[in-house]
Amino acid sequence: KFFLQLGNAISKKESDDKSDVVKRGLINKCEKGSMPGYAPIGYLNTGDSKNKPFDPVRAPIIKTLFEKYTEGTWSLHDLAEWAKKEGLTMSPSRRKRTTTEMLSDEEIKIEPICRVITEKHIQRILSNSFFIGMIKDKDSPNGMRISVSHQPLVEQELFYRVQGMLKSKRVSI
């Protein structure tokens, strides 16, 4: 029993050490202003955390979403319908595996699909500060840091005007 507890303690220490190294690496990337994760719709994920270029198809539509929302006549639902008509879809992603697929002995390849855009997606897009060239950073005073991995898609003035409009439409009961 003693050796089992000792083995468990050593395994936990090794796991914690590896976790700390990974966290430190992600923090260092953020401190340098690069984006360690996936970029949102409108940017291409090239596999390089230091280079997130514009998506030539989706970026102009995303920028137009911000502009249309500031007109004051577009609801999130209307913007989602307009975006669907423009052909905007979410970036390709794989669906979750079903229980049967997980329990199967065979390797099942799930192809990435582009999901249809919804009102919730529009709301997240309009609220995402990534589009003004910022990334989240808990250690910064305002919780954000200027990114060196991507260029802003939307001007700050336009983004903050949209934030004000979204905030004014939030009503608590």
Side-chain angles (χ1 to χ4, degrees), residues 26 35-39 45 49 52:
L26 292 174
M35 173 71 178
Y38 289 108
N45 288 298
S49 66
K52 305 287 184 185

Side-chain angles (χ1 to χ4, degrees), residues 42-44 51-60 131 150-154:
Y43 291 88
L44 296 174
N51 183 25
K52 305 287 184 185
F54 292 128
D55 181 333
V57 175
R58 292 181 174 100
F131 294 109
H150 72 283
Q151 296 296 315
L153 179 61
V154 178

Side-chain angles (χ1 to χ4, degrees), residues 69-171:
Y69 192 75
T70 58
E71 292 173 10
T73 57
W74 291 81
S75 67
L76 296 177
H77 176 77
D78 293 340
L79 285 174
E81 292 301 315
W82 175 83
K84 286 177 198 172
K85 286 179 187 163
E86 291 293 312
L88 182 65
T89 57
M90 295 305 291
S91 301
S93 63
R94 292 186 189 93
R95 66 170 170 77
K96 291 184 178 179
R97 296 183 300 162
T98 63
T99 306
T100 309
E101 290 170 337
M102 285 190 258
L103 296 174
S104 173
D105 290 336
E106 301 171 19
E107 179 138 351
I108 299 170
K109 183 160 175 51
I110 300 172
E111 294 296 323
I113 58 171
C114 295
R115 290 183 170 75
V116 177
I117 198 143
T118 64
E119 290 176 47
K120 189 66 176 172
H121 292 131
I122 299 293
Q123 193 268 331
R124 285 185 185 148
I125 289 167
L126 295 178
S127 302
N128 193 343
S129 58
F130 192 90
F131 294 109
I132 57 170
M134 304 293 280
I135 57 173
K136 291 181 182 171
D137 181 13
K138 290 187 270 185
D139 297 332
S140 294
N142 64 353
M144 303 302 290
R145 178 182 297 278
I146 295 173
S147 173
V148 297
S149 64
H150 72 283
Q151 296 296 315
L153 179 61
V154 178
E155 298 81 30
Q156 284 191 2
E157 186 263 327
L158 176 64
F159 178 80
Y160 288 116
R161 196 167 356 129
V162 168
Q163 299 320 295
M165 293 174 73
L166 286 169
K167 188 175 182 179
S168 70
K169 292 184 180 186
R170 270 186 226 132
V171 178

